[in-house]
Amino acid sequence: MKAILVALLLLSVTACSTSPPRNPGDICAIFREKDDWYGDAKSASKKWNSPIPIMMSIMYQESGFVAKAKPPKKYWLGFIPAGRMSDAYGYAQAKDSTWAWYVDKSGNWGADRDDFSDAIDFIGWYNNVSNKMVGINPNDSYSLYMAYHEGHGGFKKRSFNNKPWLKRVAGKVTSRAQTYTAQLARCEKDLKSGGWFFGIF
């Protein structure tokens, strides 16, 4: 009996772990491993009219699903520490000012950037703002990522036109979103019903 209790405790700790998913390239595997993420992503999708695969692809690109992700450090003369490239943080790599804007406009007081539920809601909210402010179609993952990375002002100015590396990254986000879409179509019925849980026994 004691062994069973220990096993259940370890299982609960693992389930609550903030470690990134083991197979980030498969959205079905992600949601099966992180059993509360699908519900969080679905809620954000409904609230902000932003497809789950696009939100998840943006998050993967920004942080690799690492809860406490931070930008790389910068160095003077190549070796003297000089802080980080920006104050972006968490799953969504949201900057302090942008996160404060989100909290104020969404009313999600107490939101944390290292909480998946809050971070996926932020991405959905930002995509919704991109739709309303600059007219980006909710299904246009390429343009949505450009606006996410460059900001709405930068997107309007087409600041990405002289950044071929960013165009390549946006292409990766689009390709991943398409892959996630195809994968989710095969498993979403089970995710909605919770049927995947019983399939592991």
Side-chain angles (χ1 to χ4, degrees):
M1 183 67 180
K2 184 177 180 180
I4 294 174
L5 290 174
V6 171
L8 288 173
L9 178 60
L10 289 174
L11 182 62
S12 67
V13 170
T14 301
C16 295
S17 172
T18 56
S19 61
R22 291 186 293 270
N23 188 1
D26 186 334
I27 199 170
C28 296
I30 292 171
F31 288 146
R32 284 168 178 157
E33 179 184 348
K34 307 290 187 179
D35 58 7
D36 55 342
W37 281 18
Y38 173 73
D40 293 334
K42 188 67 176 178
S43 295
S45 178
K46 285 183 176 180
K47 186 191 301 183
W48 304 116
N49 188 33
S50 187
I52 291 174
I54 292 178
M55 294 188 296
M56 291 293 286
S57 184
I58 289 174
M59 184 179 286
Y60 184 14
Q61 182 60 46
E62 290 299 285
S63 70
F65 300 115
V66 175
K68 300 180 184 297
K70 296 179 181 179
K73 292 181 179 179
K74 57 184 178 181
Y75 298 88
W76 291 107
L77 304 177
F79 65 94
I80 303 173
R84 295 189 180 275
M85 303 298 287
S86 80
D87 58 16
Y89 176 72
Y91 284 112
Q93 286 297 279
K95 295 181 178 180
D96 291 349
S97 58
T98 312
W99 189 260
W101 180 32
Y102 157 71
V103 170
D104 179 57
K105 296 300 181 181
S106 70
N108 190 11
W109 306 106
D112 295 314
R113 285 178 285 180
D114 54 10
D115 181 285
F116 177 84
S117 178
D118 294 332
I120 199 72
D121 192 74
F122 167 82
I123 294 174
W125 170 82
Y126 196 94
N127 288 347
N128 184 263
V129 173
S130 295
N131 169 250
K132 295 184 183 306
M133 285 186 64
V134 292
I136 300 175
N137 188 295
N139 296 298
D140 184 354
S141 53
Y142 187 92
S143 296
L144 286 171
Y145 182 73
M146 286 297 192
Y148 192 92
H149 190 277
E150 298 294 276
H152 298 117
F155 183 84
K156 288 179 181 179
K157 296 176 182 177
R158 316 292 288 183
S159 60
F160 49 83
N161 279 340
N162 60 351
K163 297 179 180 179
W165 62 269
L166 182 56
K167 292 180 179 180
R168 289 193 293 270
V169 172
K172 287 172 59 179
V173 171
T174 297
S175 178
R176 187 177 299 114
Q178 292 169 346
T179 298
Y180 278 173
T181 298
Q183 292 169 343
L184 190 59
R186 296 195 293 267
C187 68
E188 189 163 23
K189 183 178 179 180
D190 284 341
L191 290 169
K192 286 179 178 178
S193 66
W196 64 269
F197 180 83
F198 300 101
I200 66 175
F201 295 102

